[in-house]
Amino acid sequence: CSVQRRHQKVVEIAPAIGLPDDLRAKIHADAVKIAKATNYRAAGTVEFLVDQEGKHYFIEVNPRIQVEHTITEEVTGVDLVQAQIRIAAGATLKDLGITQ
């Protein structure tokens, strides 16, 4: 969840405040489906919008580590840069102790 001004993030909050657990689970499941369907094997961000009725919509996949990656690292406890390098060298998520 973010606050933006002139298309630049000013505040990043994670996990998104007020997002119901069932909706969060659906969004996570859809992100995993997208990654599996495309055989995606690197760090990236899958972005969704949620409307006032609680429906979520896919926006885009950013196939890179974004500037906000430190927020994700704080929330997940995973060093994303190190993980991406290890995966590029042949490690699996299981090797890194990461589950989905």
Side-chain angles (χ1 to χ4, degrees):
C1 182
S2 66
V3 176
Q4 297 186 13
R5 182 171 187 260
R6 297 183 182 158
H7 307 291
Q8 294 295 314
K9 287 184 182 168
V10 179
V11 176
E12 180 84 14
I13 300 170
I17 297 170
L19 192 64
D21 289 340
D22 62 328
L23 179 55
R24 186 182 315 276
K26 289 176 185 176
I27 291 171
H28 287 174
D30 284 350
V32 170
K33 284 181 195 175
I34 290 167
K36 285 183 176 182
T38 59
N39 200 30
Y40 195 81
R41 299 282 183 236
T45 303
V46 183
E47 295 189 18
F48 296 88
L49 284 176
V50 177
D51 70 14
Q52 292 177 341
E53 286 82 42
K55 296 178 188 172
H56 67 285
Y57 302 90
F58 170 74
I59 301 174
E60 65 181 348
V61 174
N62 292 304
R64 64 185 182 283
I65 291 182
Q66 294 186 273
V67 70
E68 308 91 348
H69 78 277
T70 55
I71 304 297
T72 303
E73 290 178 337
E74 282 293 316
V75 171
T76 64
V78 175
D79 180 328
L80 296 177
V81 175
Q82 180 187 60
Q84 185 174 20
I85 291 168
R86 291 185 60 199
I87 289 168
T92 65
L93 293 178
K94 184 178 180 180
D95 294 336
L96 303 177
I98 300 172
T99 60
Q100 48 189 39

